[in-house]
Amino acid sequence: STGVTMKIGGWNFSAFHDGQFKLDGGAMFGVVPKVMWEKHHAADEMNRIDLDLRCLLVDHDDRRIMVDVGIGDRWDERKAQVFALDRRPNHLVAELAEAGITRESITDVVLTHLHFDHAGGVFRQGDNGLEPVFPNATHWVQKKHWDWANNPSQRDRASFRLEDFFDLKESGKLEMVEGRQEILPGVIVMPVNGHSPGQQIVEFHTGEKVVVFCGDLIPFRSQVHVPWIMGFDLNPLLTVAEKKQFLSRAAEDGYILVFEHDVDHEAATVEFSDGKFKPLKTFTLDNPGF
């Protein structure tokens, strides 16, 4: 769905993409046996599965908010093959342009975290070095995560590229958030630390429904199932606890969850039945059916 919008109250929600890529299916599902996850995610001959690079555009009052910015353009041929990058140059900005949206019109970029597939599109190569893709936007990051990303562990160092975000501070376009906070009217960021310290999910409280961009807390619809978590999570038991707590709220209050990496399922509501959380209704933002 490009540029077609889910309207709730005075809020407009649209999905845009920075293309797709592939990661190892085992890494995406940790201890879950392949015979179980491959029913939902077909693996190629290198055991890689497809991941969407879905970003969420939210228009409300005078703010135009982009949540996450994809993988970006600055990949050499070898890395592009490793990740099977499937995108055109400048992919996200091109999709926005086709919907009549300029990159200059984005007022805020909320980054769930700074892994390369979420923050790779913060900067692009300009004539005089790197330039911000969204030059007028304030970029929101949890301070805890900023500190971690600038000094990661050996285990997750490969997930960060300093050049994706390092210059944000110098640009004066960085806002550090500490903990759960309403950063803009109706926009609440909520830290979840199991995947990476200081990751944040982004909740939009519209006065009618709550729409949540789940980032890597729940990257796929299949991972609404609480024990299905990524091998990338630094603290898997914490992820499990955070998912349970979040999904309890989501089921109770009918939250709309937007999945960042699911190529087939854009959004869903969830329910708790037979002792487990399950997707209740799956839909796209351009056809929500309510």
Side-chain angles (χ1 to χ4, degrees), residues 103-177:
R103 61 193 188 97
E104 291 82 8
S105 70
I106 305 295
T107 61
D108 300 272
V109 169
V110 185
L111 297 165
T112 58
H113 58 309
L114 297 168
H115 285 172
F116 63 74
D117 52 321
H118 301 257
V122 167
F123 290 105
R124 68 180 196 179
Q125 197 61 48
D127 295 335
N128 306 308
L130 293 184
E131 61 181 27
V133 172
F134 301 104
N136 300 319
T138 300
H139 293 65
W140 302 85
V141 181
Q142 286 283 332
K143 181 180 188 309
K144 178 179 189 172
H145 185 68
W146 179 266
D147 294 343
W148 181 270
N150 280 281
N151 189 21
S153 72
Q154 263 186 311
R155 184 165 184 262
D156 65 337
R157 188 173 295 154
S159 298
F160 297 102
R161 300 192 308 171
L162 273 176
E163 65 271 21
D164 285 341
F165 52 83
F166 185 71
D167 290 339
L168 264 183
K169 214 168 185 177
E170 279 58 67
S171 73
K173 294 288 183 189
L174 177 67
E175 278 290 333
M176 303 263 204
V177 188

Side-chain angles (χ1 to χ4, degrees), residues 10 49 98 150 172 203 215 250 277:
I49 61 174
E98 281 154 18
N150 280 281
E203 304 180 353
F277 291 101

